Amino acid sequence: MTLVAGVDSSTQSCKVVVRDAESGALVREGRASHPDGTEVDPAAWEAALREAIDSAGGLGDVAAVAVGGQQHGMVCLDDAGQVVRPALLWNDTRSAGAATDLIAELGDGDDGAGRRAWADAVGLVPVASFTVTKLRWLAQHEPDNAARTAAVALPHDWLTWKLAGSPGLDALVTDRGDASGTGYWSPFTGDYRTDLLERALGHAPVLPRVLGPAERAGQVAAGALAADGGALLGPGSGDNAAAALGINAEPGDVVLSIGTSGVVSTVSTTPSADPSGTVAGFADATGNFLPLVVTLNAARVLDATARLLGVDHDELSRLALTAPAGSGGLVMVPYLEGERTPDRPHATGALHGLTLATSDPAHLARAAVEGLLCGLADGLEAIAALGNPVRRVLLVGGGARSEAVRRLAPAVLGVPVLVPPPGEYVADGAARQAAWTLAGGDTPPVWPTTSTETYEADAVPHVRERYAEVRDMTAARV
Ligand SMILES: Nc1ncnc2c1ncn2[C@@H]1O[C@H](COP(=O)(O)OP(=O)(O)O)[C@@H](O)[C@H]1O
Ligand SMILES: O=C(CO)[C@@H](O)[C@H](O)COP(=O)(O)O
Protein backbone atom coordinates (compact mmCIF):
# COMPACT_ATOMS: atom_id res chain seq x y z
CA MET A 1 0.00 0.00 0.00
CA THR A 2 1.39 3.42 -1.02
CA LEU A 3 0.56 6.11 1.55
CA VAL A 4 0.07 9.86 1.08
CA ALA A 5 -0.51 12.58 3.66
CA GLY A 6 -2.60 15.74 3.61
CA VAL A 7 -2.37 18.70 5.96
CA ASP A 8 -4.98 21.32 6.90
CA SER A 9 -3.24 24.18 8.72
CA SER A 10 -6.39 26.17 9.43
CA THR A 11 -7.21 29.06 11.75
CA GLN A 12 -7.84 27.08 14.91
CA SER A 13 -5.86 23.88 14.41
CA CYS A 14 -3.62 21.69 12.26
CA LYS A 15 -4.99 18.39 11.01
CA VAL A 16 -2.98 15.63 9.26
CA VAL A 17 -4.52 12.64 7.47
CA VAL A 18 -2.61 9.64 6.06
CA ARG A 19 -4.48 7.85 3.27
CA ASP A 20 -4.00 5.01 0.78
CA ALA A 21 -2.88 6.71 -2.44
CA GLU A 22 -4.95 4.36 -4.62
CA SER A 23 -8.19 3.89 -2.69
CA GLY A 24 -8.15 7.06 -0.58
CA ALA A 25 -8.90 4.95 2.51
CA LEU A 26 -8.01 6.67 5.78
CA VAL A 27 -5.10 4.96 7.53
CA ARG A 28 -4.04 7.38 10.30
CA GLU A 29 -4.69 10.95 11.42
CA GLY A 30 -3.51 13.50 13.94
CA ARG A 31 -4.18 17.07 15.01
CA ALA A 32 -2.85 19.89 17.15
CA SER A 33 -4.25 23.26 18.19
CA HIS A 34 -3.23 26.72 17.05
CA PRO A 35 -3.16 29.79 19.30
CA ASP A 36 -6.13 32.15 19.27
CA GLY A 37 -5.93 35.58 17.69
CA THR A 38 -5.78 37.24 14.30
CA GLU A 39 -1.99 37.73 14.45
CA VAL A 40 0.11 34.59 14.92
CA ASP A 41 3.83 33.79 14.85
CA PRO A 42 4.23 31.18 12.08
CA ALA A 43 6.46 29.22 14.47
CA ALA A 44 3.21 28.21 16.20
CA TRP A 45 1.95 26.64 12.96
CA GLU A 46 5.30 24.85 12.56
CA ALA A 47 5.10 23.48 16.10
CA ALA A 48 1.49 22.37 15.59
CA LEU A 49 2.34 20.71 12.28
CA ARG A 50 5.21 18.84 13.87
CA GLU A 51 2.90 17.69 16.69
CA ALA A 52 0.13 16.69 14.30
CA ILE A 53 2.57 14.77 12.06
CA ASP A 54 3.93 12.92 15.09
CA SER A 55 0.43 12.11 16.34
CA ALA A 56 -0.43 10.84 12.85
CA GLY A 57 2.43 8.37 13.01
CA GLY A 58 5.05 10.38 11.15
CA LEU A 59 5.88 10.61 7.44
CA GLY A 60 8.46 7.81 7.35
CA ASP A 61 6.22 5.49 5.30
CA VAL A 62 4.52 8.26 3.30
CA ALA A 63 5.38 8.68 -0.39
CA ALA A 64 3.97 12.20 -0.85
CA VAL A 65 2.50 15.00 1.24
CA ALA A 66 0.73 18.30 0.46
CA VAL A 67 -0.33 21.21 2.65
CA GLY A 68 -3.72 22.94 2.66
CA GLY A 69 -3.86 26.10 4.69
CA GLN A 70 -5.85 29.08 5.84
CA GLN A 71 -5.69 31.67 3.10
CA HIS A 72 -4.34 35.22 2.86
CA GLY A 73 -2.07 35.21 5.93
CA MET A 74 0.82 37.65 5.46
CA VAL A 75 4.11 35.82 6.13
CA CYS A 76 6.99 38.29 5.67
CA LEU A 77 10.53 36.89 5.42
CA ASP A 78 13.82 38.78 5.54
CA ASP A 79 16.68 38.06 3.16
CA ALA A 80 17.89 35.31 5.49
CA GLY A 81 14.50 33.61 5.39
CA GLN A 82 13.59 34.60 8.94
CA VAL A 83 10.05 35.73 9.79
CA VAL A 84 10.01 39.55 10.08
CA ARG A 85 6.90 39.82 12.30
CA PRO A 86 3.93 37.69 13.35
CA ALA A 87 1.61 36.96 10.43
CA LEU A 88 -1.61 38.95 10.08
CA LEU A 89 -4.37 36.43 9.38
CA TRP A 90 -7.37 36.48 7.05
CA ASN A 91 -9.62 37.47 9.98
CA ASP A 92 -7.55 40.46 11.09
CA THR A 93 -9.36 43.69 10.20
CA ARG A 94 -6.71 46.32 10.96
CA SER A 95 -6.01 46.76 7.22
CA ALA A 96 -9.60 47.80 6.42
CA GLY A 97 -8.47 51.39 5.89
CA ALA A 98 -5.70 50.22 3.58
CA ALA A 99 -8.32 48.35 1.53
CA THR A 100 -10.37 51.53 1.14
CA ASP A 101 -7.28 53.45 0.07
CA LEU A 102 -6.24 50.83 -2.51
CA ILE A 103 -9.72 50.87 -4.07
CA ALA A 104 -9.75 54.66 -4.24
CA GLU A 105 -6.28 54.78 -5.77
CA LEU A 106 -7.13 52.39 -8.62
CA GLY A 107 -10.29 54.35 -9.32
CA ASP A 108 -8.65 57.76 -9.12
CA GLY A 109 -11.00 58.58 -6.29
CA ASP A 110 -14.06 56.95 -7.91
CA ASP A 111 -15.04 54.03 -5.66
CA GLY A 112 -17.10 52.28 -8.34
CA ALA A 113 -14.32 52.56 -10.90
CA GLY A 114 -11.83 51.33 -8.33
CA ARG A 115 -13.88 48.28 -7.50
CA ARG A 116 -14.31 47.42 -11.15
CA ALA A 117 -10.57 47.92 -11.79
CA TRP A 118 -9.58 45.55 -8.96
CA ALA A 119 -12.18 42.95 -9.94
CA ASP A 120 -11.00 43.03 -13.55
CA ALA A 121 -7.33 42.91 -12.53
CA VAL A 122 -7.29 40.17 -9.88
CA GLY A 123 -10.86 38.86 -9.54
CA LEU A 124 -11.49 40.45 -6.16
CA VAL A 125 -12.09 43.81 -4.51
CA PRO A 126 -9.74 44.54 -1.55
CA VAL A 127 -11.07 43.96 1.95
CA ALA A 128 -9.01 43.55 5.12
CA SER A 129 -8.76 39.76 4.65
CA PHE A 130 -6.66 39.93 1.51
CA THR A 131 -2.86 39.91 1.71
CA VAL A 132 -2.39 42.99 -0.45
CA THR A 133 -4.18 45.19 2.11
CA LYS A 134 -2.04 43.79 4.94
CA LEU A 135 1.10 44.70 3.03
CA ARG A 136 -0.15 48.25 2.59
CA TRP A 137 -0.87 48.37 6.34
CA LEU A 138 2.67 47.13 7.00
CA ALA A 139 4.17 49.83 4.76
CA GLN A 140 2.10 52.51 6.50
CA HIS A 141 2.48 51.39 10.13
CA GLU A 142 5.73 49.36 10.27
CA PRO A 143 7.99 50.83 7.55
CA ASP A 144 11.11 49.21 9.01
CA ASN A 145 9.48 45.77 8.84
CA ALA A 146 8.27 46.55 5.33
CA ALA A 147 11.79 47.46 4.30
CA ARG A 148 13.15 44.21 5.80
CA THR A 149 10.58 42.17 3.86
CA ALA A 150 12.55 40.33 1.16
CA ALA A 151 9.81 37.78 0.41
CA VAL A 152 6.08 37.36 1.08
CA ALA A 153 4.46 33.94 1.43
CA LEU A 154 1.10 32.54 2.51
CA PRO A 155 0.70 30.12 5.44
CA HIS A 156 0.58 27.01 3.23
CA ASP A 157 3.51 28.23 1.13
CA TRP A 158 5.63 28.79 4.23
CA LEU A 159 4.84 25.38 5.75
CA THR A 160 5.62 23.64 2.43
CA TRP A 161 8.94 25.53 2.35
CA LYS A 162 9.70 24.56 5.97
CA LEU A 163 8.89 20.91 5.21
CA ALA A 164 11.45 21.13 2.38
CA GLY A 165 14.03 22.39 4.87
CA SER A 166 13.76 26.16 4.11
CA PRO A 167 15.99 25.91 1.00
CA GLY A 168 16.29 29.62 0.22
CA LEU A 169 13.76 32.28 -0.79
CA ASP A 170 13.90 31.33 -4.47
CA ALA A 171 12.54 27.88 -3.51
CA LEU A 172 9.27 29.32 -2.19
CA VAL A 173 6.30 27.90 -4.11
CA THR A 174 2.54 28.22 -4.06
CA ASP A 175 -0.43 27.24 -6.23
CA ARG A 176 -3.17 29.03 -8.20
CA GLY A 177 -5.78 28.47 -5.49
CA ASP A 178 -3.94 30.31 -2.74
CA ALA A 179 -2.25 32.85 -5.03
CA SER A 180 -5.73 33.94 -6.15
CA GLY A 181 -6.48 35.16 -2.62
CA THR A 182 -3.55 37.58 -2.40
CA GLY A 183 -4.91 40.51 -4.41
CA TYR A 184 -1.77 40.57 -6.60
CA TRP A 185 -2.25 37.47 -8.77
CA SER A 186 -4.61 37.36 -11.74
CA PRO A 187 -6.86 34.33 -12.31
CA PHE A 188 -7.43 35.72 -15.81
CA THR A 189 -3.76 35.63 -16.92
CA GLY A 190 -2.22 33.26 -14.35
CA ASP A 191 0.43 35.87 -13.63
CA TYR A 192 1.32 37.99 -10.64
CA ARG A 193 0.36 41.66 -10.79
CA THR A 194 3.59 42.90 -9.25
CA ASP A 195 2.50 46.45 -10.06
CA LEU A 196 -0.31 46.10 -7.52
CA LEU A 197 2.05 44.49 -5.02
CA GLU A 198 4.51 47.36 -5.41
CA ARG A 199 1.66 49.86 -5.08
CA ALA A 200 0.77 48.28 -1.74
CA LEU A 201 4.15 47.57 -0.17
CA GLY A 202 6.37 50.10 -1.90
CA HIS A 203 8.60 47.42 -3.45
CA ALA A 204 8.14 44.00 -5.06
CA PRO A 205 9.63 41.30 -2.80
CA VAL A 206 10.32 37.72 -3.86
CA LEU A 207 7.05 35.84 -4.42
CA PRO A 208 6.51 32.08 -4.38
CA ARG A 209 6.55 30.48 -7.82
CA VAL A 210 3.01 29.41 -8.80
CA LEU A 211 3.05 25.68 -9.53
CA GLY A 212 0.63 23.66 -11.60
CA PRO A 213 -2.06 21.66 -9.81
CA ALA A 214 0.08 18.52 -9.38
CA GLU A 215 3.56 19.93 -9.96
CA ARG A 216 6.23 18.63 -7.63
CA ALA A 217 7.40 21.12 -4.99
CA GLY A 218 10.45 19.21 -3.81
CA GLN A 219 10.91 16.66 -1.07
CA VAL A 220 10.47 16.60 2.69
CA ALA A 221 13.80 17.27 4.39
CA ALA A 222 14.58 14.99 7.32
CA GLY A 223 14.44 16.62 10.72
CA ALA A 224 12.95 19.94 9.74
CA LEU A 225 9.36 19.19 10.57
CA ALA A 226 9.37 15.45 10.30
CA ALA A 227 11.82 12.91 11.63
CA ASP A 228 11.88 11.12 8.26
CA GLY A 229 12.51 12.88 4.95
CA GLY A 230 12.12 11.81 1.35
CA ALA A 231 8.39 12.19 0.73
CA LEU A 232 7.47 14.14 -2.38
CA LEU A 233 5.86 17.53 -1.78
CA GLY A 234 2.78 18.66 -3.69
CA PRO A 235 2.10 22.35 -4.36
CA GLY A 236 -0.60 22.47 -1.67
CA SER A 237 -3.39 25.04 -1.83
CA GLY A 238 -5.67 27.32 0.12
CA ASP A 239 -8.08 25.53 2.41
CA ASN A 240 -11.19 26.13 0.34
CA ALA A 241 -9.65 24.87 -2.90
CA ALA A 242 -8.32 21.85 -1.01
CA ALA A 243 -11.77 21.21 0.50
CA ALA A 244 -13.34 21.28 -2.98
CA LEU A 245 -10.74 18.71 -4.09
CA GLY A 246 -11.37 16.67 -0.97
CA ILE A 247 -15.11 16.50 -1.51
CA ASN A 248 -14.69 16.16 -5.31
CA ALA A 249 -16.84 19.22 -5.97
CA GLU A 250 -17.85 19.76 -9.60
CA PRO A 251 -19.58 22.65 -11.40
CA GLY A 252 -23.11 22.85 -9.94
CA ASP A 253 -21.90 21.78 -6.49
CA VAL A 254 -21.89 24.50 -3.82
CA VAL A 255 -19.79 23.76 -0.73
CA LEU A 256 -20.96 25.48 2.45
CA SER A 257 -18.18 25.34 5.02
CA ILE A 258 -18.87 26.38 8.62
CA GLY A 259 -15.43 26.59 10.22
CA THR A 260 -13.85 29.65 11.75
CA SER A 261 -14.85 31.22 8.46
CA GLY A 262 -18.19 30.75 6.80
CA VAL A 263 -17.59 29.94 3.14
CA VAL A 264 -19.95 29.45 0.19
CA SER A 265 -17.88 28.22 -2.76
CA THR A 266 -18.52 26.55 -6.08
CA VAL A 267 -16.45 25.22 -8.97
CA SER A 268 -16.52 27.15 -12.24
CA THR A 269 -14.74 26.62 -15.54
CA THR A 270 -14.48 30.39 -16.00
CA PRO A 271 -12.96 33.12 -13.79
CA SER A 272 -15.22 35.59 -11.96
CA ALA A 273 -15.08 39.36 -11.52
CA ASP A 274 -17.66 40.80 -9.12
CA PRO A 275 -17.13 44.58 -8.66
CA SER A 276 -19.48 44.56 -5.68
CA GLY A 277 -16.81 42.55 -3.87
CA THR A 278 -19.35 40.08 -2.49
CA VAL A 279 -18.02 37.17 -4.56
CA ALA A 280 -14.26 36.69 -4.70
CA GLY A 281 -13.11 35.12 -7.97
CA PHE A 282 -10.54 32.64 -6.78
CA ALA A 283 -8.91 29.75 -8.62
CA ASP A 284 -9.29 26.15 -7.49
CA ALA A 285 -6.71 23.36 -7.08
CA THR A 286 -7.44 21.51 -10.35
CA GLY A 287 -6.95 24.23 -12.99
CA ASN A 288 -10.52 25.57 -12.75
CA PHE A 289 -11.93 28.43 -10.68
CA LEU A 290 -13.55 28.74 -7.25
CA PRO A 291 -15.84 31.77 -6.86
CA LEU A 292 -16.67 32.13 -3.19
CA VAL A 293 -18.24 34.28 -0.49
CA VAL A 294 -16.67 34.34 2.97
CA THR A 295 -18.02 35.55 6.30
CA LEU A 296 -15.85 36.23 9.32
CA ASN A 297 -18.46 34.87 11.74
CA ALA A 298 -19.32 31.19 11.45
CA ALA A 299 -18.63 28.37 13.93
CA ARG A 300 -17.49 30.83 16.54
CA VAL A 301 -21.00 32.32 16.63
CA LEU A 302 -22.07 28.97 18.01
CA ASP A 303 -19.05 28.85 20.33
CA ALA A 304 -19.87 32.30 21.72
CA THR A 305 -23.57 31.59 22.18
CA ALA A 306 -22.84 28.27 23.90
CA ARG A 307 -20.44 30.15 26.19
CA LEU A 308 -23.10 32.78 26.92
CA LEU A 309 -25.59 30.05 27.86
CA GLY A 310 -23.06 27.90 29.69
CA VAL A 311 -23.89 24.85 27.57
CA ASP A 312 -22.01 22.56 25.18
CA HIS A 313 -22.68 22.33 21.47
CA ASP A 314 -25.08 19.41 21.76
CA GLU A 315 -27.23 21.28 24.29
CA LEU A 316 -27.08 24.48 22.21
CA SER A 317 -28.35 22.48 19.25
CA ARG A 318 -31.12 20.87 21.30
CA LEU A 319 -32.21 24.27 22.63
CA ALA A 320 -32.25 25.83 19.17
CA LEU A 321 -34.52 23.08 17.89
CA THR A 322 -37.09 23.71 20.62
CA ALA A 323 -37.71 27.33 19.53
CA PRO A 324 -39.90 28.22 16.52
CA ALA A 325 -38.62 29.33 13.10
CA GLY A 326 -37.78 33.02 13.34
CA SER A 327 -37.23 32.59 17.10
CA GLY A 328 -40.31 34.61 17.97
CA GLY A 329 -38.84 37.68 16.26
CA LEU A 330 -35.47 37.51 18.04
CA VAL A 331 -32.77 38.17 15.44
CA MET A 332 -29.01 37.93 15.94
CA VAL A 333 -26.80 39.72 13.43
CA PRO A 334 -23.62 37.84 14.42
CA TYR A 335 -20.88 40.31 13.49
CA LEU A 336 -18.80 39.36 16.53
CA GLU A 337 -15.45 40.24 14.91
CA GLY A 338 -16.71 42.87 12.51
CA GLU A 339 -17.76 41.26 9.21
CA ARG A 340 -16.11 40.65 5.84
CA THR A 341 -19.20 40.02 3.72
CA PRO A 342 -20.85 42.46 3.88
CA ASP A 343 -17.66 44.53 4.27
CA ARG A 344 -18.30 45.97 7.76
CA PRO A 345 -14.96 45.50 9.54
CA HIS A 346 -15.95 47.67 12.51
CA ALA A 347 -19.44 46.29 13.05
CA THR A 348 -20.39 44.45 16.21
CA GLY A 349 -23.00 41.80 16.81
CA ALA A 350 -26.63 42.82 17.46
CA LEU A 351 -29.69 41.21 19.01
CA HIS A 352 -33.09 42.64 18.05
CA GLY A 353 -36.59 41.63 19.04
CA LEU A 354 -35.83 40.81 22.67
CA THR A 355 -39.10 40.47 24.59
CA LEU A 356 -40.18 38.66 27.72
CA ALA A 357 -41.35 35.84 25.43
CA THR A 358 -37.97 35.51 23.65
CA SER A 359 -35.67 36.12 26.62
CA ASP A 360 -34.70 32.50 27.16
CA PRO A 361 -31.90 30.11 26.12
CA ALA A 362 -33.91 28.40 23.40
CA HIS A 363 -34.74 31.61 21.54
CA LEU A 364 -31.16 32.88 21.81
CA ALA A 365 -29.79 29.56 20.55
CA ARG A 366 -32.23 29.59 17.64
CA ALA A 367 -31.41 33.22 16.76
CA ALA A 368 -27.68 32.39 16.71
CA VAL A 369 -28.09 29.44 14.34
CA GLU A 370 -30.50 31.34 12.09
CA GLY A 371 -28.28 34.44 12.05
CA LEU A 372 -25.26 32.36 11.05
CA LEU A 373 -27.24 30.62 8.31
CA CYS A 374 -28.78 33.85 6.99
CA GLY A 375 -25.32 35.25 6.32
CA LEU A 376 -24.47 32.13 4.32
CA ALA A 377 -27.82 32.26 2.51
CA ASP A 378 -26.91 35.77 1.35
CA GLY A 379 -23.67 34.30 0.03
CA LEU A 380 -25.42 31.48 -1.81
CA GLU A 381 -27.74 34.04 -3.40
CA ALA A 382 -24.73 36.07 -4.59
CA ILE A 383 -22.99 33.01 -6.03
CA ALA A 384 -26.16 32.07 -7.97
CA ALA A 385 -26.69 35.68 -9.11
CA LEU A 386 -23.35 35.50 -10.95
CA GLY A 387 -24.77 32.70 -13.08
CA ASN A 388 -23.25 29.75 -11.21
CA PRO A 389 -25.62 26.76 -11.29
CA VAL A 390 -26.69 25.43 -7.87
CA ARG A 391 -27.52 21.76 -8.23
CA ARG A 392 -26.23 20.42 -4.91
CA VAL A 393 -25.40 22.20 -1.64
CA LEU A 394 -22.93 20.30 0.54
CA LEU A 395 -22.39 21.28 4.19
CA VAL A 396 -19.00 20.69 5.85
CA GLY A 397 -16.81 22.15 8.60
CA GLY A 398 -16.91 21.89 12.37
CA GLY A 399 -20.20 23.77 12.55
CA ALA A 400 -21.82 21.11 10.37
CA ARG A 401 -21.52 18.73 13.32
CA SER A 402 -24.43 20.63 14.88
CA GLU A 403 -27.78 18.85 14.35
CA ALA A 404 -29.57 22.20 14.56
CA VAL A 405 -27.36 23.64 11.80
CA ARG A 406 -28.00 20.60 9.62
CA ARG A 407 -31.76 20.70 10.15
CA LEU A 408 -32.24 24.48 9.88
CA ALA A 409 -29.95 24.99 6.89
CA PRO A 410 -32.41 23.73 4.21
CA ALA A 411 -35.17 25.87 5.72
CA VAL A 412 -33.13 29.08 5.73
CA LEU A 413 -31.31 28.39 2.43
CA GLY A 414 -34.48 27.22 0.72
CA VAL A 415 -32.75 24.21 -0.87
CA PRO A 416 -31.95 20.65 0.26
CA VAL A 417 -28.56 20.28 1.98
CA LEU A 418 -26.33 17.23 1.63
CA VAL A 419 -24.14 16.49 4.63
CA PRO A 420 -21.19 14.09 4.28
CA PRO A 421 -19.87 12.38 7.41
CA PRO A 422 -17.90 14.74 9.69
CA GLY A 423 -14.36 14.81 8.36
CA GLU A 424 -11.32 16.87 7.49
CA TYR A 425 -12.06 17.59 3.83
CA VAL A 426 -9.30 20.18 3.49
CA ALA A 427 -6.67 17.68 4.62
CA ASP A 428 -8.34 15.01 2.47
CA GLY A 429 -8.05 17.27 -0.55
CA ALA A 430 -4.39 17.89 0.20
CA ALA A 431 -3.83 14.12 0.47
CA ARG A 432 -5.59 13.61 -2.87
CA GLN A 433 -3.34 16.28 -4.40
CA ALA A 434 -0.32 14.47 -2.95
CA ALA A 435 -1.48 11.25 -4.63
CA TRP A 436 -1.94 13.19 -7.88
CA THR A 437 1.56 14.67 -7.61
CA LEU A 438 2.94 11.18 -7.05
CA ALA A 439 1.04 9.58 -9.94
CA GLY A 440 1.24 12.52 -12.35
CA GLY A 441 -1.31 12.88 -15.12
CA ASP A 442 -3.86 15.54 -16.05
CA THR A 443 -6.50 14.70 -13.47
CA PRO A 444 -6.48 13.78 -9.75
CA PRO A 445 -6.90 10.13 -8.75
CA VAL A 446 -10.51 8.97 -8.53
CA TRP A 447 -11.23 8.17 -4.88
CA PRO A 448 -14.66 6.88 -3.78
CA THR A 449 -16.98 9.82 -3.17
CA THR A 450 -18.25 10.01 0.36
CA SER A 451 -21.85 9.18 1.20
CA THR A 452 -24.11 12.05 2.17
CA GLU A 453 -27.24 12.46 4.26
CA THR A 454 -29.89 14.74 2.74
CA TYR A 455 -31.65 17.30 4.92
CA GLU A 456 -34.82 18.90 3.58
CA ALA A 457 -37.29 21.36 5.12
CA ASP A 458 -40.00 23.79 4.11
CA ALA A 459 -38.46 27.16 3.29
CA VAL A 460 -38.93 29.93 5.87
CA PRO A 461 -38.45 33.11 3.81
CA HIS A 462 -39.72 35.30 6.65
CA VAL A 463 -36.61 34.41 8.64
CA ARG A 464 -34.27 35.90 6.01
CA GLU A 465 -36.60 38.83 5.40
CA ARG A 466 -36.57 39.78 9.09
CA TYR A 467 -32.81 39.16 9.31
CA ALA A 468 -32.21 41.49 6.34
CA GLU A 469 -34.29 44.24 7.96
CA VAL A 470 -32.27 44.06 11.19
CA ARG A 471 -28.96 43.67 9.32
CA ASP A 472 -29.62 46.80 7.25
CA MET A 473 -30.95 48.73 10.24
CA THR A 474 -27.79 48.02 12.26
CA ALA A 475 -25.65 48.96 9.25
CA ALA A 476 -27.29 52.38 9.23
CA ARG A 477 -26.33 52.89 12.87
CA VAL A 478 -22.65 51.89 12.73
N1 LIG B 1 -20.90 19.86 17.35
C1 LIG B 1 -20.55 21.11 17.04
N2 LIG B 1 -21.49 22.08 16.92
C2 LIG B 1 -21.15 23.33 16.60
N3 LIG B 1 -19.86 23.74 16.40
C3 LIG B 1 -18.89 22.82 16.51
C4 LIG B 1 -19.17 21.47 16.82
N4 LIG B 1 -17.99 20.79 16.85
C5 LIG B 1 -17.02 21.69 16.58
N5 LIG B 1 -17.56 22.91 16.37
C6 LIG B 1 -16.83 24.16 16.08
O1 LIG B 1 -16.22 24.07 14.80
C7 LIG B 1 -15.06 24.91 14.78
C8 LIG B 1 -13.90 24.11 14.20
O2 LIG B 1 -14.26 23.77 12.89
P1 LIG B 1 -13.13 23.66 11.76
O3 LIG B 1 -13.83 23.45 10.47
O4 LIG B 1 -12.08 22.69 12.19
O5 LIG B 1 -12.53 25.13 11.83
P2 LIG B 1 -11.20 25.69 11.11
O6 LIG B 1 -11.00 24.84 9.90
O7 LIG B 1 -11.55 27.10 10.81
O8 LIG B 1 -10.09 25.58 12.12
C9 LIG B 1 -14.80 25.36 16.22
O9 LIG B 1 -15.22 26.69 16.37
C10 LIG B 1 -15.65 24.39 17.02
O10 LIG B 1 -16.08 24.93 18.25
O1 LIG C 1 -10.42 33.77 4.26
C1 LIG C 1 -10.80 32.66 3.93
C2 LIG C 1 -11.07 32.38 2.49
O2 LIG C 1 -11.05 33.57 1.70
C3 LIG C 1 -11.01 31.61 4.98
O3 LIG C 1 -11.68 30.49 4.46
C4 LIG C 1 -9.68 31.22 5.54
O4 LIG C 1 -8.99 30.44 4.55
C5 LIG C 1 -9.79 30.52 6.89
O5 LIG C 1 -10.30 29.26 6.76
P1 LIG C 1 -10.79 28.37 8.02
O6 LIG C 1 -9.77 28.47 9.10
O7 LIG C 1 -12.12 28.91 8.45
O8 LIG C 1 -10.89 27.00 7.46
Side-chain angles (χ1 to χ4, degrees):
M1 182 187 337
T2 301
L3 298 177
V4 291
V7 177
D8 174 15
S9 180
S10 64
T11 309
Q12 295 188 53
S13 60
C14 182
K15 287 81 85 165
V16 173
V17 298
V18 177
R19 289 184 173 272
D20 178 334
E22 185 175 352
S23 69
L26 180 65
V27 175
R28 310 190 299 258
E29 62 184 321
R31 68 184 300 137
S33 295
H34 285 160
D36 275 341
T38 65
E39 180 178 30
V40 173
D41 183 342
W45 301 330
E46 185 179 17
L49 177 54
R50 183 183 298 116
E51 183 183 339
I53 287 173
D54 291 346
S55 68
L59 299 179
D61 56 352
V62 165
V65 59
V67 178
Q70 60 177 303
Q71 298 189 248
H72 317 310
M74 177 187 77
V75 180
C76 296
L77 303 176
D78 65 18
D79 51 20
Q82 297 303 306
V83 172
V84 169
R85 61 129 29 242
L88 297 184
L89 305 191
W90 69 277
N91 53 355
D92 187 283
T93 56
R94 76 187 72 183
S95 58
T100 303
D101 294 345
L102 288 168
I103 294 169
E105 287 169 24
L106 227 54
D108 294 329
D110 177 333
D111 185 74
R115 290 173 169 280
R116 164 57 66 193
W118 277 97
D120 290 346
V122 291
L124 56 81
V125 177
V127 291
S129 279
F130 300 138
T131 323
V132 69
T133 71
K134 301 178 191 297
L135 291 166
R136 169 58 69 86
W137 178 89
L138 185 74
Q140 286 174 325
H141 297 269
E142 298 180 2
D144 293 344
N145 283 337
R148 287 178 54 217
T149 296
V152 178
L154 299 167
H156 113 258
D157 310 341
W158 185 77
L159 286 171
T160 300
W161 185 68
K162 297 296 282 185
L163 274 168
S166 321
L169 298 181
D170 57 358
L172 283 163
V173 295
T174 189
D175 85 306
R176 295 171 65 252
D178 224 358
S180 62
T182 57
Y184 43 81
W185 183 84
S186 167
F188 309 102
T189 65
D191 297 323
Y192 278 118
R193 285 293 302 266
T194 50
D195 58 317
L196 297 177
L197 173 59
E198 196 158 354
R199 168 184 292 277
L201 182 60
H203 67 279
V206 170
L207 291 174
R209 184 164 59 90
V210 181
L211 300 183
E215 187 173 347
R216 296 184 172 190
Q219 283 187 305
V220 173
L225 261 162
D228 305 290
L232 277 181
L233 278 164
S237 193
D239 52 2
N240 295 298
L245 188 59
I247 208 155
N248 196 30
E250 298 175 341
D253 289 340
V254 174
V255 180
L256 230 60
S257 171
I258 301 180
T260 310
S261 62
V263 182
V264 185
S265 67
T266 192
V267 174
S268 173
T269 55
T270 56
S272 301
D274 174 13
S276 79
T278 302
V279 178
F282 290 0
D284 79 349
T286 71
N288 281 317
F289 301 91
L290 194 78
L292 54 77
V293 176
V294 180
T295 64
L296 264 179
N297 301 279
R300 285 200 287 208
V301 175
L302 306 179
D303 296 345
T305 308
R307 188 165 58 243
L308 263 175
L309 294 175
V311 299
D312 63 15
H313 278 303
D314 288 344
E315 178 60 9
L316 183 76
S317 171
R318 188 196 67 78
L319 285 166
L321 292 171
T322 62
S327 196
L330 184 64
V331 175
M332 179 189 288
V333 180
Y335 299 162
L336 308 183
E337 287 196 283
E339 185 45 72
R340 164 173 163 179
T341 315
D343 184 18
R344 294 180 54 195
H346 308 301
T348 58
L351 260 183
H352 192 274
L354 204 53
T355 65
L356 285 178
T358 61
S359 305
D360 61 44
H363 285 85
L364 181 60
R366 181 80 177 216
V369 176
E370 288 182 343
L372 158 60
L373 290 170
C374 282
L376 294 174
D378 291 347
L380 178 61
E381 197 170 275
I383 288 276
L386 281 188
N388 296 291
V390 179
R391 281 194 285 276
R392 296 195 312 163
V393 175
L394 297 116
L395 179 62
V396 297
R401 298 170 189 268
S402 162
E403 180 66 16
V405 166
R406 292 199 296 267
R407 286 174 53 184
L408 301 187
V412 173
L413 296 169
V415 293
V417 170
L418 279 61
V419 184
E424 297 304 340
Y425 293 98
V426 174
D428 292 346
R432 189 174 176 212
Q433 185 198 73
W436 187 8
T437 303
L438 191 63
D442 297 332
T443 56
V446 177
W447 284 358
T449 51
T450 180
S451 62
T452 59
E453 188 172 355
T454 301
Y455 287 77
E456 296 180 284
D458 293 337
V460 286
H462 68 282
V463 171
R464 286 191 64 199
E465 288 159 10
R466 183 65 187 135
Y467 174 84
E469 285 171 11
V470 178
R471 177 200 64 207
D472 297 345
M473 179 180 67
T474 57
R477 292 183 179 171
V478 174

